Amino acid sequence: MRTIVPEYLRAAVPDNGFHAWLENLASLDVSGLDICLPEGEELADELRWLDVPEHAIAEVLASRPDPTLHPDAWWLLERCVARLINHLGLIADMAPFPELPEELARQVPHLYLHVFVAMLPHTRAYHRERDIPGRLSQAILADLGRNVRVHERRYGEVGLGVVNWITLHFRGLIYDLGRLQFERAQMRGTLANAMRERAVDARPDETVLSIHVPDSKGPLTPEACDASIACAHQFFAEHFPEERYRFAVCHSWLLDPQLNRCLRPDSNIVRFQERFELADRLTEADRSIVQFVFGPVPDDPADLPQRTSLERAVREHLLAGEHWYVRNGWFRFD
């Protein structure tokens, strides 16, 4: 049932595309959906379960919207949760959640964190339907707390800067299986075309497993990666038996071959690259690699530390006026 966008939300921000998103939310039917947000210690416990750092919990609790006291914020929360519910388990693109305009973000702080807590019962139920063990459910959803920590390390404040990345977790698309994370995804046409140019029978939009490499889980050793990949074979065969994955893919600066010239041949990153065939498509990724390797991004690359061989390689490459790139890669998974 279509609703009307609250006037406050229309007036709070200029019409820069945000209004179109609000109108889309207004088209969502929330009747019959069990959308609730815990309060007090129950909310704090859910945030702890999601591994939100203890010192941030009080700030998030204080920002909790109330359906009676904050009806406009609650209108937003309900419809964001409804959008996630409508895409739960589906391997399909979902229109992204936009960054909240500054004025609205001040008046409705941490809205998306509350959206994910309200979505939590629905994601847990989906995991139970798939017989996914509770420990694996918690392992992937706790990525939310890890990214709150990352945001604070980079920007010095409590927040969540990767909202649309976290939507994948709460839609049941991504799972933490040891050293690596695996996302149920669709083959992109550009990568499929590159693979076909190499005589690989790849089809656009076929189901693949997209590999992600968290930066908080220790060394990227070949043994740890082997164990994760073996676990993924078993996990997806057991919990998603109707889906076939012929290929694993990866889209990362870790696949930039320039790292081969800077690191030892037996380094973990070089060994990780050796698993993949690479497509020719390049995307500049200087800021991304600095954020993942160092955290905050300085104005001058000369200010970057040089504690490890990777840090020295990244720094020296940038100081030489060169760039780092994201590359697409694949290997056969079946």
Side-chain angles (χ1 to χ4, degrees):
M1 180 175 62
R2 186 175 185 85
T3 60
I4 298 174
V5 176
E7 187 57 36
Y8 159 74
L9 294 177
R10 289 184 185 278
V13 294
D15 187 6
N16 59 355
F18 188 74
H19 287 186
W21 181 68
L22 292 175
E23 291 293 346
N24 186 272
L25 290 185
S27 69
L28 298 177
D29 186 1
V30 300
S31 62
L33 296 180
D34 183 15
I35 298 174
C36 60
L37 184 63
E39 302 180 62
E41 194 58 29
E42 184 182 356
L43 176 55
D45 286 343
E46 294 290 51
L47 292 168
R48 292 186 186 103
W49 191 86
L50 292 167
D51 201 27
V52 173
E54 191 68 30
H55 69 268
I57 288 177
E59 181 176 330
V60 179
L61 289 178
S63 70
R64 180 194 183 277
D66 181 274
T68 301
L69 300 177
H70 314 103
D72 298 330
W74 194 262
W75 185 94
L76 269 179
L77 180 142
E78 281 191 318
R79 281 152 186 82
C80 287
V81 175
R83 170 68 59 74
L84 292 171
I85 291 173
N86 290 346
H87 288 81
L88 186 57
L90 300 180
I91 304 178
D93 289 337
M94 184 184 80
F97 289 169
E99 181 178 356
L100 295 179
E102 185 176 348
E103 181 179 346
L104 185 58
R106 283 198 305 268
Q107 297 184 48
V108 192
H110 305 310
L111 173 70
Y112 288 134
L113 281 173
H114 292 294
V115 166
F116 290 127
V117 175
M119 182 63 188
L120 189 51
H122 304 277
T123 306
R124 283 174 174 151
Y126 177 76
H127 286 171
R128 287 194 299 270
E129 290 171 4
R130 288 282 174 174
D131 293 323
I132 293 170
R135 62 180 177 81
L136 292 181
S137 179
Q138 197 272 340
I140 190 57
L141 296 178
D143 229 17
L144 182 145
R146 185 182 72 83
N147 279 282
V148 169
R149 288 179 167 82
V150 169
H151 184 91
E152 188 168 20
R153 187 168 69 246
R154 290 178 180 173
Y155 305 109
E157 63 182 12
V158 176
L160 184 64
V162 289
V163 170
N164 288 298
W165 163 243
I166 297 298
T167 63
L168 300 175
H169 301 54
F170 282 78
R171 290 171 53 199
L173 296 183
I174 187 168
Y175 296 93
D176 189 294
L177 302 174
R179 184 60 187 85
L180 306 173
Q181 294 176 343
F182 297 82
E183 175 195 351
R184 301 164 51 229
Q186 288 181 325
M187 176 79 75
R188 298 303 183 187
T190 51
L191 181 55
N193 291 338
M195 293 170 68
R196 285 201 297 269
E197 290 174 1
R198 310 279 183 86
V200 178
D201 179 26
R203 301 186 300 273
D205 296 331
E206 73 171 283
T207 304
V208 296
L209 289 178
S210 181
I211 293 178
H212 302 277
V213 185
D215 61 356
S216 61
K217 304 189 71 176
L220 189 67
T221 65
E223 295 77 14
C225 292
D226 287 343
S228 279
I229 292 168
C231 184
H233 275 283
Q234 180 178 350
F235 176 87
F236 290 100
E238 180 177 352
H239 301 291
F240 296 90
E242 75 281 10
E243 294 177 354
R244 183 190 176 197
Y245 310 97
R246 296 193 301 150
F247 301 102
V249 303
C250 187
H251 179 77
S252 175
W253 59 266
L254 285 165
L255 300 184
D256 188 339
Q258 295 179 107
L259 288 165
N260 290 339
R261 301 197 295 267
C262 305
L263 302 174
R264 291 163 50 103
D266 62 347
S267 73
N268 289 334
I269 290 177
V270 172
R271 297 286 299 279
F272 181 74
Q273 288 186 1
E274 290 171 350
R275 298 175 183 273
F276 296 88
E277 298 286 337
L278 295 185
D280 295 331
R281 185 174 177 81
L282 302 174
T283 306
E284 188 270 315
D286 290 346
R287 185 175 182 86
S288 294
I289 194 171
V290 171
Q291 284 185 326
F292 275 94
V293 174
F294 301 96
V297 180
D299 295 330
D300 186 348
D303 295 330
L304 293 170
Q306 305 176 66
R307 297 161 296 195
T308 68
S309 58
L310 178 59
E311 288 182 346
R312 289 190 293 274
V314 171
R315 177 182 182 273
E316 291 169 7
H317 194 75
L318 294 174
L319 286 175
E322 302 293 336
H323 297 285
W324 295 105
Y325 295 93
V326 165
R327 293 291 294 269
N328 290 315
W330 76 89
F331 64 80
R332 291 207 67 102
F333 185 79
D334 58 5

